Amino acid sequence: MATKLGWNLLDSGLLYRITAFLVKELGIDVDDIKSIEALLSHRVKISYFNAGIDASQQDWLSESMDSNDRVAVLSDSLRQSYVRWNGIDITETVRSDPISRLAARVAASPRVRRLLVPKQRERREAPGLVADGRDMGTVIFPDAQLKIFLEATAETRAERRLQQLKLPESEFHRIREMMEERDRKDSLREVAPAIPAEDSVCVDSSNQTIEQTVSEVLRLAQERNLVNTNTAHH
């Protein structure tokens, strides 16, 4: 959608995955919220690069670490965001199950979420923003002009995750159970629960291709005069 419109993109989940990766990489206890706050407030500067995120080191915990240590999340129009750490591609690592589970624990902290709110909101700039995340329409951008609550069956999502991570079919049931458990925890979470905003439009992509889903969302945006047919890049 962002590529088609030439708009900015925010993948908010990556912020939590990057935080989880840094927590693990730097040996911070996931329950040590003060250290995670210090990491996000003083030691990491997160700025945006194209349709991705650039997290640069400012003042790491260990002075012996190379001053060039940094996480760079870049994105181009042809592929998903990819993540680099010290020049090494860690995209698969930050999207792996262990980091996913750690990210869920990090994201459950109200204090960590509060710290990441301004980093997400600063992404809203011309010509427009497509924001992806479970609390985008309820917490981060409650005044968004179009809110899409994108749904798909657990089976469909598990199958897509298998393809995304290039996992064997034997992993299907484990992935589906993990997703269902995450859905349950996210919807019951005290802070920013994953529920549709009252003024959101539910779109079920279970039986749709990516192109069909993009077309449907684009039509909804055109109906609201957010974009016109000449705005979309082909």
Side-chain angles (χ1 to χ4, degrees), residues 112-137:
V112 172
R113 294 191 80 88
R114 270 199 302 274
L115 274 174
L116 289 174
V117 167
K119 295 180 189 301
Q120 294 172 78
R121 287 184 176 156
E122 71 185 20
R123 186 62 172 148
R124 182 157 63 179
E125 52 190 15
L129 174 66
V130 175
D132 170 27
R134 297 187 174 211
D135 61 349
M136 293 299 100

Side-chain angles (χ1 to χ4, degrees), residues 20-141:
F21 171 82
L22 292 172
V23 163
K24 187 170 184 290
E25 186 75 9
L26 299 176
I28 298 172
D29 190 309
V30 70
D31 296 316
D32 185 356
I33 302 301
K34 279 193 174 181
S35 291
I36 297 176
E37 283 182 317
L39 177 74
L40 295 172
S41 300
H42 309 299
R43 298 189 172 96
V44 180
K45 177 178 178 292
I46 296 180
S47 54
Y48 295 92
F49 181 85
N50 290 341
I53 306 162
D54 180 64
S56 305
Q57 172 193 309
Q58 285 188 324
D59 172 27
W60 291 106
L61 296 171
S62 168
E63 292 183 3
S64 64
M65 291 183 75
D66 186 336
S67 62
N68 292 322
D69 283 348
R70 56 182 282 171
V71 180
V73 183
L74 312 169
S75 181
D76 60 40
S77 60
L78 300 176
R79 55 172 289 186
Q80 199 171 26
S81 298
Y82 56 96
V83 190
R84 292 179 187 274
W85 168 255
N86 289 340
I88 300 167
D89 190 329
I90 58 162
T91 309
E92 289 187 13
T93 303
V94 297
R95 295 198 179 279
S96 67
D97 290 351
I99 295 297
S100 293
R101 286 192 289 270
L102 196 58
R105 291 180 65 186
V106 167
S109 164
R111 284 158 62 182
V112 172
R113 294 191 80 88
R114 270 199 302 274
L115 274 174
L116 289 174
V117 167
K119 295 180 189 301
Q120 294 172 78
R121 287 184 176 156
E122 71 185 20
R123 186 62 172 148
R124 182 157 63 179
E125 52 190 15
L129 174 66
V130 175
D132 170 27
R134 297 187 174 211
D135 61 349
M136 293 299 100
T138 53
V139 176
I140 309 301
F141 302 111

